[in-house]
Amino acid sequence: MTGLFKAVNKDARHWQILALSGLFSISLTTSDFGAQPLALLAAITGAMFAQAVGTVWVNARKETRCARSGSYWRGSSLVAGVVGWFAGFQWKSALITSLSLSILLRANSIWFWLAAGFIGVSAKFLVRYRGKHLFNPACIGIVVVSLLGGSAAWVSPGQWGQAPIFAAFAIGFAALVLSSAKRLDIALGFLAGFAAMLFGRALYLGDPMTIPVHQLQSGALLVFAFFMITDPRSTPDSRIARLIFAFAVAAFAAWLSWEYHIRGAMLYALASLALLSPILDRLLPARRFEWTSTKGPQNEAQTPRGGVRPRPHIVRA
Amino acid sequence: MKLKHLAGACVLGLTSFALSAPMAAAFCGFYVAKADTDLFNDASKVVLVRDDERTVITMASDYRGEASEFAMVVPVVDVPEREQINVANPGLVDHLDEYTAPRLVEYYDENPCMLARRNKSITVTSAGIPEMVMESAPMEAEDLGVTIEAEYEVGEYDILILSAEESDGLITWLNQENYRIPDGAEEVVGAYLKRGMKFFVAKVNLERHSGSSVLRPIQVAYEDENFMLPIRLGTVNAEGKQELFVFAITREGRVETTNYKTVKLPSNMDVPIFVKDEFGEFYKAMFEHQTEKENGKAVFMEYAWDMSWCDPCAANPLSASELRELGVMWLDEGPQDEIRPMPRPRPGFGGPQPVDAFVTRLHVRYDGQTFPEDLNFQVTGDRENYQGRYVLRHPWRGDYGQCEAAGEYAQTLVERWDTEADSLAKLTGWELDEIKQKMADGGFSAAAVGVTEPKPKRKWWQRLWGN
């Protein structure tokens, strides 16, 4: 048992995958307009394809750089052939993206999930700043396809009943506490900020408190707070900066939904504030987050930061 | 000019309620169940036609009381012009109600001894609906901080658009003018006022009223990016739950609520034959039971269909001119069939011509506790057809001993009736024993078909070699 726990606990993403699978099942079984297995498959196909292409591309660039610098003999970093080309293939991240997509996105054609998976993960490789991607892949995937698709692709924030939503909150919270991602601060910061805004507005309007309480019971809000804005790769590195970021997203989301009545405003808020993250990183620098808790080989498919890689020592007779 | 947040459900006051008389579907002959008259009390019917930001709301009323007592109060965001307001033919909403109502379908079993078995289906109609709630206001408006933004005479109605600084002033003024605003409305009215909303109030001008007992629906055309229906005023008068039917017509597809769960009403089930005589009761009990199962917090989808056709039809599809009257504004506009999936008109089931419109019928039972917030909607691209449909299967009656097949058929009947009783109990929450008793009284029991007691189901190997 402890062995199993340790195995799961080795990587924060394991907890996320478990929790998102739980949410997927809840949505699948309790909602008439919920998550669909076929949509999940499509999202996985799109996301994994983009992840594979991206990984090969990153490895090829690494390879060229090494060859050019003359510090390796050609082929050294890709010794294992195909396996080498796919070194650092982050299937777990792509799976998390796919699960989030199938839980949040609804569409009238299976292609939208495929496209969202592909776009989201591609953005991870293509839109980067100083070795970090700017956009949360699931978030940008949804925003792009729903902007392009019009009414053909949409987010259904209200399709969770009350009991499922509480179960889902529990699962999300547990996953976050258990995971070593240490990103509870940003989730709670965002929820607190957003709740403060809803309660503040209710007080101003003279509304009964049942209204903000009801508004907080949203499946989209939950997935967003626990699994999207917590993405350590696209949020600031220091805690203060993360909290500032969370409040900014909460405020912008509230404004979008009050002023423009946008459904799923959080996603648009996060996507449009993505640039804020690198700015905050520059102002408030901190140590970069790594997924795996143990010091293993650094194999995230990201642009290497300068010549950190140890040079092989070549001994000649 | 923009007029926002128009809504119907928030009408205050008493209600009467009536039921659209179900029409027999013409196409297959038999006229079956007729829905009872007293289905739902205090119901409102609202038709929302939506295309991008363009919206037409039709608020219907079957109010049967004194015309002088009728009034309605609806929050709106802007002051509509005279041309944006209209009164519609009351038959329109009734027709839409009948077309989208849950339906009963009948099938007749044939003599099992005859090899060629074929099923005949028949349609029936359905539970209609009720309507809208209304009611009927010496300080000067100005002293109370109330501004009359506009004043119109439309059909039999006198309509005022009011703005106010304070909810107290507005409520005092409305009460002076004989709009009976229930206690406790201050907060809700205040919340709408703080959002900069105005109030649309209407009452009947007796001089222009024809004396007919039916008041015509009021329609308003407006543009607003927010697709919503204010229902909070309706929750103020604590006369229990309010009943609301929303018929949403769009080009793209199904409409769902974004701040409440939308649930499909359970459908396509075989139910005992006696349901035919009490279809209204059945529908009512089922809705009640399903609402409880969702803790009263769900919006039920009863129909979602391409308006070009129906199968089976509880009423004929609406004609293009009826749709236009309801506010379907895109019918005459340019080429419409670019990318849209072609409607599938079927011979016999189709309307006068294919139309580019999709209707969603939503049924909400709400009060301030379960539905604290106004209803927010969104148009989705989902064009999957759905209908509330319940099936009656009439057994073949005859000598069950005349051939082996007939004997086996009698066995399956008993099993089938058990299943029907179970599903009826699950749908409505009625007692299983009572259902079975009722079925037995009607001749739907093992004894009635000469099967003393249902034999245990044969094992697969027993069926395999026929021993």
Side-chain angles (χ1 to χ4, degrees), chain A residues 92-103:
Chain A
K92 292 171 198 166
S93 300
L95 182 59
I96 288 172
T97 302
S98 314
L99 280 163
S100 304
L101 281 174
S102 64
I103 292 170

Side-chain angles (χ1 to χ4, degrees), chain A residues 33 108 150-154, chain B residues 48-52 227 247-257 301 303-307 330 340-341 355-362 377-386:
Chain A
F33 306 101
N108 63 6
S151 64
W154 63 96
Chain B
L48 285 166
V49 177
R50 175 89 173 174
D51 180 42
D52 204 7
F227 187 19
F247 306 88
I249 302 175
T250 69
R251 301 172 89 158
E252 290 89 359
R254 179 173 61 81
V255 166
E256 67 180 18
T257 40
M301 185 171 97
Y303 196 71
W305 209 275
D306 185 317
M307 294 190 82
W330 58 83
R340 267 160 237 294
V355 288
D356 184 17
F358 193 94
V359 66
T360 311
R361 168 178 165 135
L362 300 171
F377 300 108
Q378 76 179 351
V379 181
T380 75
D382 179 7
R383 290 184 78 95
E384 196 180 316
N385 290 326
Y386 165 84

Side-chain angles (χ1 to χ4, degrees), chain B residues 210-235:
Chain B
S210 64
S212 119
S213 63
V214 179
L215 291 171
R216 292 182 290 171
I218 300 181
Q219 295 185 293
V220 185
Y222 60 100
E223 284 183 11
D224 186 10
E225 59 212 358
N226 194 11
F227 187 19
M228 59 88 81
L229 186 64
I231 58 169
R232 290 178 59 198
L233 274 176
T235 63

